[in-house]
Amino acid sequence: MSSQPTYSPASVESISRTIEALAARNVVAELVESREAALARLKELVPEGCEVFVSTSETLDTIGYTEYMHDNDRYINLHDQMLEQPDAAAQREFRRTTTTADYFVGSVQAIAETGEIVVASGSGSQIGAFAYGARRVIMVAGTQKICPTLAEAEVRTRGFTLERHDRWLEGRGGSAAPIGKFLVMEHEPVAGRITMLLIPESLGW
């Protein structure tokens, strides 16, 4: 039986503090009212005709963005192009090129009320895009991922999130895997590069 805590959507006050702290770190944060509003906002933020990579994300799956983008010829869909590669080695090589996509859309593991963003990955494939490579980054997260401090955000990521990810892997026939790469985003030097959409629901891990 797991001893990990559960996480509920953050309070209005907590969300407000987080948005202000993210802004101070040069991350544009928006609170949308629902998953449907998040999907609509993503469609506004990512212009048709652009090059976009949609990272694997339960949150993006849940709000319908992954399905919306799949086989959508109104965009240059790098994720679809990656899956069209003939084998795993070719997919890995192609994935390297996606880190410099015009738009990179994904989610995160935790957000501190003090404005730090925590991202964990097995392979690290999205970390290069988030940290530097992609021209524009859009992150979508349920507000249950907001934690009071960076220390608590790291605890959430190394505990609750990792356990949920292992269960997800096992459900797909895989086995538990360690965190491969761990990123704490403390400040974005390029104004307007990163947008965070916050949804007042428990979505993803």
Side-chain angles (χ1 to χ4, degrees):
M1 181 70 66
S2 170
S3 61
Q4 295 296 339
T6 57
Y7 293 88
S8 301
S11 67
V12 172
E13 295 78 13
S14 173
I15 294 169
S16 179
R17 287 192 294 270
T18 303
I19 289 174
E20 289 181 7
L22 287 166
R25 295 172 184 270
N26 233 9
V27 174
V28 177
E30 302 178 17
L31 178 65
V32 294
E33 63 184 13
S34 64
R35 62 186 70 182
E36 294 80 13
L39 177 59
R41 186 64 177 130
L42 275 172
K43 292 176 183 179
E44 292 174 352
L45 288 170
V46 182
E48 292 185 4
C50 77
E51 179 186 72
V52 56
F53 186 87
V54 181
S55 189
T56 301
S57 162
E58 186 169 302
T59 300
L60 296 177
D61 292 350
T62 301
I63 69 172
Y65 192 67
T66 306
E67 182 179 3
Y68 167 76
M69 287 297 298
H70 181 59
D71 284 336
N72 190 332
D73 60 9
R74 294 194 294 273
Y75 304 86
I76 302 170
N77 190 324
L78 297 180
H79 191 275
D80 282 356
Q81 291 182 22
M82 180 187 73
L83 295 179
E84 291 167 359
Q85 301 305 305
D87 53 44
Q91 287 188 11
R92 284 194 299 273
E93 185 62 23
F94 186 87
R95 183 64 188 262
R96 292 177 60 245
T97 70
T98 70
T99 61
T100 58
D102 287 340
Y103 283 78
F104 197 99
V105 184
S107 191
V108 303
Q109 278 63 49
I111 308 152
E113 283 187 20
T114 46
E116 298 93 343
I117 300 167
V118 178
V119 181
S121 174
S123 66
S125 57
Q126 76 271 48
I127 286 185
F130 282 168
Y132 185 80
R135 185 171 66 86
R136 289 289 306 276
V137 173
I138 303 174
M139 300 169 167
V140 185
T143 59
Q144 89 283 4
K145 294 184 177 182
I146 294 175
C147 300
T149 66
L150 173 57
E152 289 170 272
E154 292 182 354
V155 167
R156 182 187 196 279
T157 301
R158 295 184 185 279
F160 175 82
T161 297
L162 181 58
E163 182 179 292
R164 286 291 304 273
H165 182 257
D166 285 346
R167 276 192 261 153
W168 177 79
L169 285 173
E170 290 163 359
R172 295 165 64 93
S175 57
I179 293 172
K181 309 291 168 59
F182 195 91
L183 173 68
V184 177
M185 301 178 70
E186 298 205 2
H187 184 264
E188 171 52 49
V190 181
R193 178 176 173 265
I194 299 177
T195 299
M196 171 78 73
L197 298 183
L198 295 170
I199 307 169
E201 300 183 42
S202 290
L203 296 171
W205 312 321

